[in-house]
Amino acid sequence: MEISDCSFQALSYSKLFNTYLADYQKLDSFYPHNPWNEDDISKRAANLKKPEYKESFLSALSAYHKELGIGKNQQESLKKLSQENALVVVTGQQLGMYGGPLFTIYKIITAILLAKKYEQKLGRPVVPVFWPADEDHDFEEIAWAGITGRADFKKIRYKGEGNGQPVSEQKLSSELKTFKTDIKEELFDTDFSQALWEQLDQFYKEGKTHIQAFAGLIDSWFADQGLLITGSNHPEIKKLLAPEFSQSIEEAEALFDAIEKKSLALEKIFHRQVSNGDSDLFYLSKKEGRVKIQKDKEGWKAGSSNWTTSQLLENIRNNPENFSPNVFLRPVIQDKLLPTLGYVSGPGELAYYGQMKDFYAEFDLEMPVIFPRLCATLIESGIARIVEKLPFEICEYGKRIEDLESEFIERTDTVDLEEVFKIWKSKLEQAAGNPLEVINKIDPTLDGTVGKTVAGFENELEKLQGRVHRSIKQQEEIQIKRIEKIKVNLFPDGGAQERAVSPVYFMNKYGLDIWQSLLKGIEREGLDLGKHYLVKL
């Protein structure tokens, strides 16, 4: 495994993200802690208040883990978190099929390495935490896996039907068999294939919920690194959160203003990642699924359900399990439950955290340090070899394929073929002049024969020019096919590899322990979140 890097500026990340990496001071009014300043991070650790619900949450987590079927592997991490001065580094992601896209892995590796780093630096226990998006209901976003297959990149769909409820509660259907078959057809059989499918089949079974399958798989990959899996979609945990759910309704206007103020300021310079709304809660309706709660005249509504404010608050107090936080409220409840030193975010998450500084304050909290996640491109040996035959740097393949092809022609068209043959023909005509005069003096009747001979030379020259032209085109076509192959491997589906390709693809080719090897490789290299890693396998 050979590790190098390239600049984020060479890739298609947002202006806000690049500014956060390279010029944080321009954003310090949106984020309370500089992730590049070790003193700032140490101050966050020293000043962090004990979470209000930590002890009760730890108890509820045991029940949550038992329900997920991962209780045994999580005990050591729970024990570590129960220590009085323990901290956590949190990350999270949706419940993608077979582990989701690669960046799920990169988020977890980042959290693990940061936890190790700050445990040593601060002299306190620091636990890496993964928070699966167990409240999210967007089934279409999770129901696929990206495979760089035998011919091209394919986004293979799991054809089960979403029902509007949180995906975590929905069960895997018989469509799982077709999904698995479709992926296997795209993958070559390797020495690792059987072990891979045995592992996946252990967790992804018809009748299991998506959270049970996903959490079991992630637990099998990273439990031995001390990764603790947490979430909020559990009755015992929801009981703890009733005060925050109630506050989100009681103080809805103030919370709206807190988000809106920062959002307006942010979009003057960069962009607003997430739209603001009437409330930060969803209602979990048995008939209609997870429905946004909105203002309605003097009261509130969610789908066909209606309440006055007092009725809604009473419902929250009595049945908190029927309510669910939105994208802004979820981080707040996370930090009400956990002693969060920092959160590992992707570029999009980092942007919406920039809208939340004042929102946190409304809940008497301070936003944690927002660490960008590890970003990486995995380069297979076959791809690395053909990259060397072309004039582009690896990160340049993020451009459109049409632009790459045009630039290749411009960069490699060093010989003006037309001019070369034009000069050659001119010299041939000049060379034929003197012999023609001599032959005419000897025998004028041979003039036509000489002309035919010269014309034959020119005809052969034109044939040769055509063959050379075709040869150049063939060579260009070979190189253009190489460009297309590199593009589909490194930047499939028009975007970054880490956002499209499933971990299954690389595990099938390089073994089930590839993520442990990557973690160790990045650790040896030294984790630097300010660069995009290029990893040659």
Side-chain angles (χ1 to χ4, degrees):
M1 189 173 285
E2 181 184 329
I3 298 175
S4 59
D5 62 88
C6 74
S7 167
F8 279 102
Q9 279 72 28
L11 299 165
S12 57
Y13 291 92
S14 70
K15 179 184 174 184
L16 188 153
F17 184 69
N18 278 314
T19 302
Y20 195 86
L21 298 180
D23 198 1
Y24 173 83
Q25 299 306 320
K26 290 183 178 178
L27 287 164
D28 62 5
S29 62
F30 301 101
Y31 305 90
H33 306 290
N34 185 344
W36 318 114
N37 186 317
E38 294 297 332
D39 290 339
D40 221 14
I41 296 168
S42 296
K43 287 177 183 175
R44 163 68 179 178
N47 296 332
L48 186 57
K49 298 177 183 178
K50 182 180 177 180
E52 290 185 42
Y53 314 129
K54 179 180 173 182
E55 284 76 13
S56 299
F57 182 51
L58 290 173
S59 175
L61 266 182
S62 293
Y64 181 70
H65 290 152
K66 185 176 181 181
E67 187 176 289
L68 297 184
I70 60 172
K72 183 179 178 181
N73 291 342
Q74 297 285 296
Q75 289 306 306
E76 286 302 313
S77 296
L78 277 173
K79 185 177 177 181
K80 187 174 180 179
L81 180 56
S82 69
Q83 295 180 51
E84 185 68 22
N85 63 340
L87 300 168
V88 299
V89 175
V90 188
T91 193
Q93 190 53 42
Q94 291 168 299
L95 310 175
M97 293 293 293
Y98 290 157
L102 284 170
F103 67 70
T104 301
I105 302 293
Y106 300 160
K107 282 183 165 186
I108 293 171
I109 288 175
T110 310
I112 290 169
L113 292 180
L114 287 175
K116 285 185 179 181
K117 173 182 176 178
Y118 288 107
E119 182 166 276
Q120 184 176 20
K121 185 176 181 64
L122 300 171
R124 299 171 61 173
V126 183
V127 180
V129 169
F130 185 81
W131 189 296
D134 57 359
E135 303 273 2
D136 191 80
H137 65 281
D138 195 334
F139 186 82
E140 289 300 313
E141 277 200 22
I142 67 98
W144 62 276
I147 302 294
T148 305
R150 296 171 183 266
D152 201 348
F153 172 81
K154 289 194 176 180
K155 202 169 188 178
I156 296 170
R157 287 280 172 185
Y158 166 65
K159 297 173 184 176
E161 294 290 333
N163 59 17
Q165 299 291 344
V167 172
S168 61
E169 300 174 5
Q170 298 177 44
K171 292 183 178 181
L172 292 158
S173 72
S174 59
E175 290 292 342
L176 180 63
K177 184 177 180 180
T178 303
F179 178 71
K180 174 185 172 181
T181 300
D182 290 345
I183 290 179
K184 290 184 78 171
E185 286 178 355
E186 288 300 316
L187 297 175
F188 290 96
D189 284 333
T190 71
D191 292 342
F192 309 112
S193 298
Q194 183 176 346
L196 171 62
W197 288 108
E198 285 176 358
Q199 184 185 70
L200 293 173
D201 291 346
Q202 180 183 352
F203 303 107
Y204 278 81
K205 297 178 180 179
E206 184 179 349
K208 275 195 171 187
T209 63
H210 281 270
I211 184 63
Q212 287 172 332
F214 182 91
L217 186 62
I218 296 298
D219 183 66
S220 72
W221 289 346
F222 293 108
D224 62 352
Q225 293 289 336
L227 184 71
L228 180 68
I229 296 176
T230 69
S232 57
N233 194 24
H234 188 274
E236 289 190 35
I237 298 172
K238 289 285 181 73
K239 287 178 184 177
L240 303 176
L241 301 172
E244 283 65 47
F245 291 172
S246 295
Q247 184 179 348
S248 72
I249 297 300
E250 291 170 326
E251 301 178 14
E253 289 188 14
L255 293 172
F256 178 92
D257 291 343
I259 290 290
E260 196 64 15
K261 178 182 176 183
K262 283 300 178 188
S263 300
L264 289 170
L266 193 66
E267 68 185 357
K268 285 180 181 178
I269 316 169
F270 302 101
H271 69 281
R272 179 195 297 246
Q273 183 71 17
V274 177
S275 298
N276 205 356
D278 294 338
S279 84
D280 298 296
L281 273 186
F282 286 85
Y283 179 60
L284 299 176
S285 166
K286 291 181 180 180
K287 292 183 178 180
E288 297 172 285
R290 186 170 181 252
V291 189
K292 180 73 174 173
I293 296 177
Q294 299 174 308
K295 286 185 177 178
D296 180 36
K297 299 178 181 178
E298 300 302 317
W300 300 86
K301 67 176 182 179
S304 61
S305 300
N306 291 273
W307 311 271
T308 64
T309 298
S310 60
Q311 287 171 337
L312 180 55
L313 291 172
E314 183 180 4
N315 200 341
I316 291 171
R317 285 192 297 272
N318 295 333
N319 304 289
E321 69 277 7
N322 291 339
F323 297 87
S324 176
N326 77 344
V327 68
F328 293 127
L329 188 57
R330 191 214 61 78
V332 166
I333 65 172
Q334 162 196 291
D335 298 335
K336 285 283 186 176
L337 299 169
L338 292 165
T340 309
L341 174 66
Y343 182 82
V344 175
S345 74
E349 290 172 294
L350 190 147
Y352 73 67
Y353 264 100
Q355 299 173 243
M356 292 180 61
K357 187 176 180 181
D358 294 346
F359 184 80
Y360 258 87
E362 293 292 325
F363 290 91
D364 195 28
L365 288 172
E366 185 179 56
M367 188 192 302
V369 183
I370 307 301
F371 294 103
R373 66 166 168 82
L374 166 71
C375 295
T377 299
L378 303 184
I379 306 163
E380 299 182 66
S381 57
I383 296 299
R385 284 194 295 272
I386 60 175
V387 164
E388 294 173 359
K389 301 178 185 297
L390 289 158
F392 301 111
E393 297 296 326
I394 284 173
C395 285
E396 290 186 87
Y397 288 95
K399 298 175 182 176
R400 294 188 320 140
I401 188 66
E402 297 85 355
D403 295 335
L404 286 168
E405 291 174 357
S406 296
E407 287 185 33
F408 171 74
I409 299 300
E410 290 176 7
R411 294 189 193 188
T412 57
D413 191 14
T414 54
V415 178
D416 188 340
L417 198 60
E418 293 295 331
E419 185 64 20
V420 167
F421 276 88
K422 181 180 178 181
I423 293 170
W424 196 350
K425 287 177 184 178
S426 175
K427 288 182 178 179
L428 181 63
E429 290 171 357
Q430 292 173 11
N434 289 335
L436 182 60
E437 289 181 15
V438 172
I439 292 170
N440 276 339
K441 287 178 181 178
I442 296 171
D443 186 349
T445 64
L446 295 175
D447 182 76
T449 303
V450 172
K452 290 179 181 179
T453 301
V454 173
F457 289 159
E458 291 180 350
N459 186 47
E460 289 301 316
L461 203 57
E462 288 175 359
K463 289 181 182 179
L464 176 60
Q465 181 177 353
R467 286 197 292 270
V468 173
H469 184 75
R470 285 193 295 275
S471 178
I472 289 174
K473 282 295 180 185
Q474 287 172 354
Q475 291 177 36
E476 286 177 353
E477 286 172 7
I478 290 170
Q479 296 294 64
I480 285 172
K481 285 180 180 177
R482 285 173 171 164
I483 290 170
E484 291 171 351
K485 184 174 182 179
I486 295 167
K487 173 76 175 176
V488 82
N489 275 266
L490 304 186
F491 294 90
D493 204 28
Q497 179 195 78
E498 60 190 18
R499 301 193 63 82
V501 180
S502 169
V504 168
Y505 170 76
F506 288 99
M507 294 171 75
N508 184 62
K509 295 190 76 171
Y510 298 96
L512 274 61
D513 62 348
I514 182 175
W515 311 125
Q516 301 299 326
S517 298
L518 179 62
L519 189 153
K520 291 173 183 176
I522 297 293
E523 188 172 19
R524 283 194 302 270
E525 183 77 12
L527 181 65
D528 182 351
L529 300 175
K531 66 185 182 184
H532 183 100
Y533 283 84
L534 304 174
V535 183
K536 292 184 180 179
L537 301 174

